[in-house]
Amino acid sequence: MIQELCFATRNAHKREEIAAQLGGNFRLLTLDEIGCTEEIPEPEATIEGNAAYKARYVWEHYRIPCFADDSGLEVAALNGAPGVHSAYYAGASRDFKANYELVLQQLQGITDRRAQFKTVIALVQSDGSLHTFTGIITGNITDAPRGSNGFGYDPIFQPDGYHLTFGEMPVALKTQISHRARAMQQLLDFLKQ
Ligand code: IMP
């Protein structure tokens, strides 16, 4: 039987990418396709909390099983900041460059540059149960931005085992090894069981 599943995103491209990996047992729907046009709030203090909130919101309002993702950059010397605030770390304009420049400024003179990107995917199934999947990639914050590929903090994040930042890497390579890919793979393995 084909099961309907909402991916709490407005990005049809993201949906296509996951649908292709999921195979024919699921019909994957975006928020717009289930009639959810309102902005879903992100009121929680953690990445885990916000992913779960979004998936539960869809389940409670639309009664469709749903998964939602939330991501952020966690810098060890900044006690895990920007973390859940990654999108608007330097202010409400959500400016990528201002955000990473603030991180670089806060790390000036600090030798511990360890950081990680984290994605949490929360899945609420048709019985209302919640499962979470976490994808992490560890690395270091560079001294200065390098590269213009990708988005967000990519120019200042150099993953362990690579000499390129995410901003310098071909997008296809980043997409393969990223925190998002790791969390998605766990979700796919779970759904295919
Ligand atoms: P979201 O939850 O995927 O929307 O991510 C929240 C914020 O975390 C983004 O606006 C970016 O600032 C940052 N972020 C998440 N994933 C990445 C990434 O792969 N590269 C760079 N920044 C990211």
Side-chain angles (χ1 to χ4, degrees):
M1 203 181 71
I2 294 181
Q3 202 194 320
E4 287 199 330
L5 182 62
C6 174
F7 179 9
T9 180
R10 302 204 184 276
N11 185 332
H13 175 75
K14 259 190 180 178
R15 191 267 311 272
E16 290 319 315
E17 215 176 278
I18 298 303
Q21 296 176 63
L22 253 184
N25 291 337
F26 292 89
R27 197 161 98 82
L28 210 53
L29 304 167
T30 61
L31 289 172
D32 293 325
E33 287 165 338
I34 64 165
C36 173
T37 52
E38 69 273 24
E39 193 69 33
I40 302 178
E42 296 191 347
E44 304 292 335
T46 61
I47 292 173
E48 288 79 2
N50 277 334
Y53 184 94
K54 286 187 277 186
R56 277 216 183 89
Y57 179 99
V58 170
W59 169 244
E60 279 163 16
H61 290 76
Y62 298 89
R63 288 291 150 187
I64 294 176
C66 176
F67 65 89
D69 67 333
D70 203 55
S71 306
L73 175 71
E74 298 179 329
V75 179
L78 302 179
N79 297 317
V84 72
H85 308 295
S86 291
Y88 47 86
Y89 194 47
S93 64
R94 295 176 175 246
D95 185 78
F96 290 150
K97 190 160 180 270
N99 285 340
Y100 71 62
E101 281 180 343
L102 180 55
V103 170
L104 289 179
Q105 186 195 319
Q106 291 177 332
L107 287 181
Q108 249 173 27
I110 295 177
T111 49
D112 177 6
R113 316 288 294 188
R114 287 171 304 132
Q116 61 181 28
F117 273 119
K118 179 160 90 179
T119 294
V120 175
I121 296 176
L123 167 72
V124 175
Q125 294 185 290
S126 52
D127 60 359
S129 62
L130 174 79
H131 296 264
T132 54
F133 309 91
T134 303
I136 284 175
I137 181 155
T138 58
N140 281 280
I141 301 299
T142 52
D143 291 327
R146 297 196 330 244
S148 55
N149 293 339
F151 68 99
Y153 300 88
D154 283 347
I156 64 163
F157 182 81
Q158 183 170 327
D160 289 336
Y162 294 85
H163 63 279
L164 300 174
T165 65
F166 268 176
E168 294 173 309
M169 233 174 230
V171 174
L173 174 58
K174 181 201 159 186
T175 308
Q176 243 176 52
I177 64 169
S178 77
H179 44 307
R180 219 175 331 277
R182 289 176 179 181
M184 278 297 173
Q185 192 53 55
Q186 291 176 42
L187 171 74
L188 291 169
D189 291 345
F190 180 85
L191 289 174
K192 284 180 184 166
Q193 271 172 24

